[in-house]
Amino acid sequence: MAIGLVTELGSGSALRVPRARVVPLTAPPSSYTAAVERYLTGAGIAKSSARVYRISLTTWGWMFAGEAAPTGPARRGAKPPVFPVAAIDDPALPEVLAELAAARADEMDADTVNRELSIARKAMGWWQRQGWITCDPTIGIERRPAPQDRTKALAENQIAALWRLDVGLREKTYWKLLYESAARADEVLCLNVEDLYPQDKRGRITAKGGATEWIHWQSGTAQLLPRLIARRTRGPLFLTDRKAPAGTPTLDVCPETGRARLSYRRAEEIFEENTRLLANPLASPEDIEDLNGFTLHRLRHSALTHDAEGGTSTPMLLARSRHASVRSLERYARPSVDAVARHVAERDPAARRRT
């Protein structure tokens, strides 16, 4: 953003104090949606993060337009409003935005709300530096206190039951790959066919910050991948069932089938819906609509916890999780109820005497 000084003549030809004028570094985009795409490419957002950023900024797009962002099934296929990015500078927007953001925070978990707010502020900071907007209407919106991470690993019998569920090939492959690789769900969805090295049972991903990293899988995934890929040689690995809608970024469209990359939101919905009875074994199938299933992150958490319970070394856990510090592993070092029971039983003096 460049600042130019503008000198004005007052009455009687007296000079007024110069005032600042914002001169955009580049021509402003035609719409908010175009501004989002310019930000994702211009700010160097990694491919693995761009999808999450785009979804979050689309959510904010509804609120910037003064509308509540749709949630759940209503979100699928909903057309975001079209408006110029300069509308963000509307003086009346902060008050409207505060109400909409508060209502959304009542419906969504704190981590999601805070992540969306952080992404919006990063984007607006970039737009301000381009000279496209001058204000940040979220300035009065506070982050929500996030509850302590109490995610628990699934028991091994729950993992076994998961593999027995009657689901499609795409879901079987995706879930198996998440568990065997202990990779993050969004990273795996960003995989392309050309990123895979099937003979080595590994794949190349773009991690946070744009670094290239590798994930590794086992025989379960290796047996499913050829059927999922079929004859495809490039493009997104995990695809939707339908053709990509107009306007879908080229990187998210399979050049051979025309189908779109599966979104994290939809993948999470499918997993949650299919695991409701697993997560609530005493519930009746008639009550399934009122139940909550597991989250995709539980597969990564379970894989690392089971590794730790099996005696995997700390350096190997760091390599598997791709965390930078040992402290980050603490959440996975909580042995499950079954692991504690085995530990106690194995050290029972009476049981040892009987054997």
Side-chain angles (χ1 to χ4, degrees):
M1 175 174 66
I3 304 294
L5 293 180
V6 179
T7 303
E8 296 181 339
L9 289 174
S11 58
S13 299
L15 287 176
R16 291 181 181 173
V17 177
R19 61 180 174 84
R21 176 170 58 87
V22 177
V23 181
L25 292 177
T26 58
S30 59
S31 66
Y32 171 79
T33 302
V36 169
E37 295 304 319
R38 293 270 290 274
Y39 164 65
L40 295 177
T41 55
I45 303 301
K47 184 175 67 173
S48 59
S49 301
R51 291 177 58 77
V52 174
Y53 273 56
R54 186 178 290 108
I55 291 170
S56 295
L57 291 172
T58 300
T59 295
W60 278 98
W62 268 289
M63 295 193 286
F64 287 145
E67 304 176 23
T71 58
R75 175 68 177 260
R76 199 173 308 129
K79 298 288 186 182
V82 178
F83 60 93
V85 68
I88 292 176
D89 285 335
D90 185 343
L93 184 58
E95 183 176 352
V96 174
L97 205 58
E99 294 182 4
L100 291 171
R104 180 169 176 78
D106 290 338
E107 298 179 357
M108 310 299 291
D109 64 273
D111 287 335
T112 298
V113 170
N114 292 338
R115 181 180 65 249
E116 291 177 345
L117 180 60
S118 175
I119 289 173
R121 285 175 171 165
K122 289 177 183 178
M124 284 186 288
W126 192 84
W127 293 332
Q128 286 174 323
R129 291 192 293 276
Q130 308 311 305
W132 300 344
I133 62 173
T134 59
C135 303
D136 178 356
T138 71
I139 200 69
I141 301 175
E142 297 182 354
R143 291 174 59 85
R144 295 292 169 125
Q148 188 175 357
D149 183 3
R150 293 294 184 188
T151 303
K152 295 180 180 178
L154 303 182
E156 292 183 3
N157 66 328
Q158 289 177 308
I159 292 292
L162 181 65
W163 306 147
R164 293 193 296 268
L165 289 179
D166 184 16
V167 295
L169 174 63
R170 180 187 64 190
E171 276 63 53
K172 286 182 179 179
T173 310
Y174 181 47
W175 301 349
K176 184 77 76 167
L177 178 52
L178 288 181
Y179 180 72
E180 291 186 351
S181 68
R184 297 176 179 87
D186 56 338
E187 293 175 336
V188 171
L189 287 174
C190 288
L191 278 171
N192 289 335
V193 174
E194 59 267 34
D195 295 327
L196 307 181
Y197 292 76
Q199 291 182 336
D200 299 324
K201 296 180 183 175
R202 69 177 66 173
R204 180 183 59 229
I205 62 169
T206 303
K208 294 179 180 179
T212 297
E213 295 182 347
W214 296 88
I215 61 172
H216 306 262
W217 55 82
Q218 297 169 330
S219 297
T221 300
Q223 292 170 2
L224 294 170
L225 276 175
R227 294 167 53 199
L228 179 73
I229 296 170
R231 293 183 174 86
R232 291 185 292 136
T233 58
R234 56 198 176 114
L237 175 60
F238 295 101
L239 300 172
T240 58
D241 297 324
R242 301 176 181 176
K243 295 288 185 180
T248 302
T250 304
L251 289 175
D252 292 330
V253 178
C254 174
E256 300 176 17
T257 66
R259 289 151 58 195
R261 188 187 303 274
L262 181 66
S263 71
Y264 178 86
R265 176 186 58 79
R266 181 60 183 143
E268 186 77 273
E269 283 180 357
I270 294 172
F271 188 67
E272 189 274 332
E273 290 170 1
N274 279 279
T275 57
R276 288 177 182 176
L277 290 179
L278 282 183
N280 304 272
L282 300 181
S284 168
E286 288 75 21
D287 300 326
I288 193 168
E289 294 299 326
D290 300 321
L291 304 176
N292 292 318
F294 297 133
T295 62
L296 286 169
H297 179 69
R298 297 285 287 272
L299 292 175
R300 170 175 165 84
H301 189 105
S302 301
L304 293 171
T305 298
H306 295 163
D307 277 357
E309 292 172 353
T312 301
S313 67
T314 297
M316 184 56 70
L317 285 174
L318 282 172
R320 281 265 284 162
S321 66
R322 289 173 289 113
H323 280 304
S325 68
V326 175
R327 186 182 181 113
S328 301
L329 292 176
E330 290 179 0
R331 73 185 69 176
Y332 306 116
R334 300 186 189 126
S336 65
V337 173
D338 291 343
V340 173
R342 285 197 302 270
H343 174 82
V344 173
E346 289 168 359
R347 287 157 180 78
D348 184 347
R352 286 203 297 268
R353 282 197 297 270
R354 285 196 298 271
T355 58

